[in-house]
Structure formats: C-alpha cells, structure tokens
Amino acid sequence: MRRMLGELLIPLGIAYGAVLVLVFLFQSHLVFFPGTGREAVLNPQSYGMRFEAVEIRTADGETLAAWWVPAEGARGTVLFFHGNAGNISHRLDYLQMFHRLRYSTLIVDYRGYGKSTGSPSEEGTYLDAEAAWDYARHTRLALPQDIVIAGESLGGAVATWLAAKVNPRAVVLLSTFTSVPDLGAQVYWFLPVRLLSRIRYDNRENLKRISAPVFIAHSRDDDVVPYAHGKKLFEAANEPKAFLEMSGGHNDGFIFTRPEWVAALAAFLDSLPAKK
C-alpha cells in the first residue's frame, strides 16, 4: 500500500514542481494580456470628441501609442492608465466621462499593447508612466497641481506608483487590487504565490507615500478583484480620501460611467482645494 502511494505521489510531486517552475518563469503571462483585442476598434471621434494620436518615447527607447483628448475650457488634465487587457480604443467611455466633466485626457497604451513597441513588464509600465507624465507636463504644459492620475484595475497600480513619486492634484483608483501577490494568493490558493511572485505592484505601500487626495471606487460584485481589496486600499490611503461602493462585475460594460457614480466622482473633484 505504501509502495503504491509512493508511486502515485512521486509523479504528482514532479508535476507540481513543474507547475511551480512554469509559474515562476512565465508569470508575466498571467498578469499581462497585450494580445487581447490588439487592434483599435474605434477612436474618440466616434464619440464626437476631438483627439490627437501621439507617440511618446520612453527613457529606454520604446515608443508608446497614446491619445490626447482636449476638453473645451478644461478644468485640468486626467492621465489615465487602463487595465491588463485590450488597448486605449476599448476605454472610450472613460474618455467621454472625463470629457463631460471638462477634463482633457491623456490615455496611453503600455509597451507591447496596441501599437506600442516592446513587451510589458512591471518595471516597463513604470517607465511608461514616467514618460506619459513628462509628456503631459512638457508637451501639453499641464501643471502638476492640475493633473489627476487615474487607473483601472492594473492601471491603478501604475497610477499609485507614479503618484507616490510626483505630486498630482488627485488620484482615482477603479477596481484596483492591494498587490499582485495578495490577489494571486487568492486566485491560485494551491500555489505558494507569495514566494513565487516576481511581480509586486504593491498599491498599499504606494498609497502610504501619496499625499494627494485619493478617490477609490470598487464593486461588491467584482468577480476578478474582490471588494475587500478596495476597502483595504481605502484604509491605507492618507486623508483626504473618498470611497464609492458600486455594483456590477469587474468587466460589466464600463460600470464607472453610470450617472450616479459619475456624479460622485464629479463631486469629489469639485471639492478639491486649489493648489498653488
């Protein structure tokens, strides 16, 4: 009996070890999905918005595809970072939302996404964020005190990292996780994710270093990033801060653009004191 059990456990152990090696080596494929919806489907003009397609050069030589969407009589600029799948053309509802709030928007595809060159990585997205910030500052002449850094899901992690380095007007996080190891440990509970993870995106630590006002929106029905992540991020954020509880799944058709939630975001942005 013991011999039979041993004969069974040995191949299972080998298979489990092989899975651990594969997860360690190829974990970027579990985080980044640049091949999902690679082609642009529409552009801001499809929604009646003027826009300019631009290219942004990063410090390490990659070229990022981006859109600059100006708003008439703009009250500020939103630097928007999207989630881990699709590209900027799949975020037109967000662009329209900020446009109606009279904010110009710069939205950028990370390296390897859409028409951007290169391959995605955690450090790479940080370089992309710095390049986007510099473009907004020096090419569009946006002042730091007028820039709102916003991100959805994975983009929220890019947003918190950047906001911890610069001093924006505010930070807006939509359906964002506490960290990749935290989320991975819940999804892949049968693996020692915290030991294997080379990708961190530690939003809780980033938030501790952010002095700008923070707005966090999360749904109780989120089927990808559990609601508890949003609440923990809110606890980690410094004052002033606001939390918006929503309903609907993680990918339920741009749930953030529903009128009552847009009103909550508008009220938050309107409440921000003027910076000098």
Side-chain angles (χ1 to χ4, degrees), residues 219-256:
S219 172
R220 281 193 176 274
D221 307 319
D222 197 313
D223 51 341
V224 176
V225 180
Y227 178 74
H229 283 249
K231 294 299 291 184
K232 289 177 180 178
L233 290 180
F234 182 70
E235 292 170 3
N238 297 307
E239 295 284 358
K241 58 186 177 180
F243 186 87
L244 174 63
E245 180 181 322
M246 304 184 304
S247 60
H250 191 78
N251 297 308
D252 281 359
F254 303 100
I255 59 174
F256 297 102

Side-chain angles (χ1 to χ4, degrees), residues 6-22:
E7 291 176 349
L8 177 63
L9 290 177
I10 289 173
L12 287 176
I14 293 174
Y16 186 74
V19 169
L20 297 183
V21 171
L22 289 173

